[in-house]
Amino acid sequence: MQSFLFQLLNSYFNKIFVLTIARATERHAFIKEHLEGLDFEFFWGIDKKDLTIDTLIKDNIYNSEKARQIHRYDREMTAGQIACSWGHAKIYEEIVKNGYKSVLILEDDVTANFDALQDFPQIMSELPQDWELVYFDYHKREASTLNTKMQELFYHLRHISGSLKWNHTMINHLHAKDYSTHLNKAGFHEFTSAYALTQNAAAKLLALQKPIAFVADNLLAYAVTNKIIKAFITVPRLFEQQSQQIGGRSISYVDE
């Protein structure tokens, strides 16, 4: 069954990347075993231990001032966040350079939800032809309810008063909204652990991230809620992070 389900993914996507770094050897071993049958390629990202933030600023790879302007709480990015964002951006460059039409991006701490993957053909058939991004894993703001609408109204007032950076368009699209049986329109979600995107979306995200100023998942959320890209979440999730599944926290190469 696992092999059959992974063949469905193999046949749909032009490329499947697993983003990792060289020293995450225990994750490599797990991924090779857990995703056996999936035609993926390790994509070697950036290790934060190899970075010097001052040098990145000097070389215009990272813009600390822009990062503070963008961040909801006026924070600069850490070395780990820069490394993670840069790794995803390099994948976007690869997609654009090679003209891949649709790509699945996984991080190296994911586990597959095999029950949900059985619905993959139906999920993809429900996507409109002009889709640009699909979250296969996500966190927060997963549905629009009366309570979330009231929260959004409060956020609108905060933006008017100058105490919230999110603009009115972002606030209107913070929470996922119903779309079809297996899809919701995406909102402002966390996680870049498992998502699919088109060449067009990769080009848009890459343009926003030059120089680097967005935390990786905030970049997707910013583009989605500002209606720059057309995005969806799958219902249910097709992948999860290991830490979600076991109820703990796996080793983080971003935060350590």
Side-chain angles (χ1 to χ4, degrees):
M1 176 62 75
Q2 174 176 327
S3 178
F4 170 73
L5 295 175
F6 283 160
Q7 284 302 318
L8 296 175
L9 300 179
N10 294 339
S11 63
Y12 188 89
F13 295 107
N14 299 138
K15 200 74 174 179
I16 301 173
F17 289 117
V18 175
L19 179 61
T20 189
I21 57 175
R23 64 185 168 98
T25 54
E26 75 288 357
R27 292 191 178 189
H28 303 161
F30 171 80
I31 286 292
K32 287 178 181 178
E33 179 179 356
H34 180 68
L35 299 185
E36 184 178 0
L38 189 66
D39 187 16
F40 72 88
E41 177 182 316
F42 280 124
F43 190 94
W44 304 106
I46 311 297
D47 192 329
K48 74 170 193 175
K49 291 188 174 182
D50 297 329
L51 300 182
T52 302
I53 292 181
D54 288 343
T55 301
L56 296 177
I57 294 172
K58 180 181 178 182
D59 294 342
N60 199 34
I61 294 171
Y62 164 61
N63 188 319
S64 60
E65 182 178 349
K66 184 180 176 182
R68 290 187 60 184
Q69 291 173 351
I70 291 169
H71 197 281
R72 182 181 178 186
Y73 300 112
D74 197 39
R75 294 173 183 166
E76 295 186 19
M77 294 172 67
T78 66
Q81 290 171 336
I82 296 169
C84 179
S85 293
W86 198 0
H88 282 273
K90 284 186 173 295
I91 292 180
Y92 306 153
E93 289 178 345
E94 190 77 4
I95 292 170
V96 173
K97 181 180 70 176
N98 291 284
Y100 297 135
K101 299 302 181 183
S102 61
V103 174
L104 174 60
I105 299 173
L106 305 173
E107 293 181 337
D108 60 6
D109 60 345
V110 296
T111 59
N113 182 344
F114 291 110
D115 289 338
L117 278 171
Q118 296 181 60
D119 293 326
F120 177 77
Q122 181 61 35
I123 288 170
M124 302 312 283
S125 73
E126 293 174 14
L127 279 172
Q129 289 188 349
D130 60 347
W131 74 273
E132 294 181 290
L133 186 147
V134 184
Y135 286 91
F136 290 162
D137 188 24
Y138 48 89
H139 179 57
K140 291 188 176 180
R141 306 180 185 91
E142 299 165 14
S144 181
T145 66
L146 179 59
N147 285 339
T148 63
K149 292 181 185 300
M150 294 299 294
Q151 184 184 55
E152 288 170 4
L153 176 59
F154 175 65
Y155 286 159
H156 281 299
L157 295 174
R158 286 191 58 194
H159 178 69
I160 292 171
S161 71
S163 63
L164 183 65
K165 292 184 178 181
W166 289 339
N167 61 45
H168 294 303
T169 300
M170 296 176 69
I171 295 167
N172 285 335
H173 298 94
L174 281 180
H175 296 87
K177 295 178 174 60
D178 293 343
Y179 180 76
S180 65
T181 303
H182 296 94
L183 294 169
N184 285 340
K185 292 181 180 179
F188 196 107
H189 309 296
E190 295 181 1
F191 294 171
T192 51
S193 46
Y195 63 105
L197 78 167
T198 64
Q199 180 185 355
N200 193 46
K204 291 179 181 180
L205 293 172
L206 189 58
L208 288 170
Q209 197 69 304
K210 283 191 173 183
I212 294 169
F214 287 91
V215 176
D217 50 1
N218 286 351
L219 172 67
L220 304 189
Y222 177 90
V224 170
T225 55
N226 277 288
K227 312 308 289 180
I228 296 170
I229 58 177
K230 190 168 188 174
F232 300 85
I233 60 174
T234 64
V235 183
R237 298 171 180 82
L238 303 189
F239 290 87
E240 294 181 344
Q241 293 175 321
Q242 289 185 59
S243 57
Q244 291 173 269
Q245 193 173 67
I246 65 176
R249 183 175 176 83
S250 59
I251 297 172
S252 172
Y253 292 96
V254 175
D255 300 326
E256 66 171 348

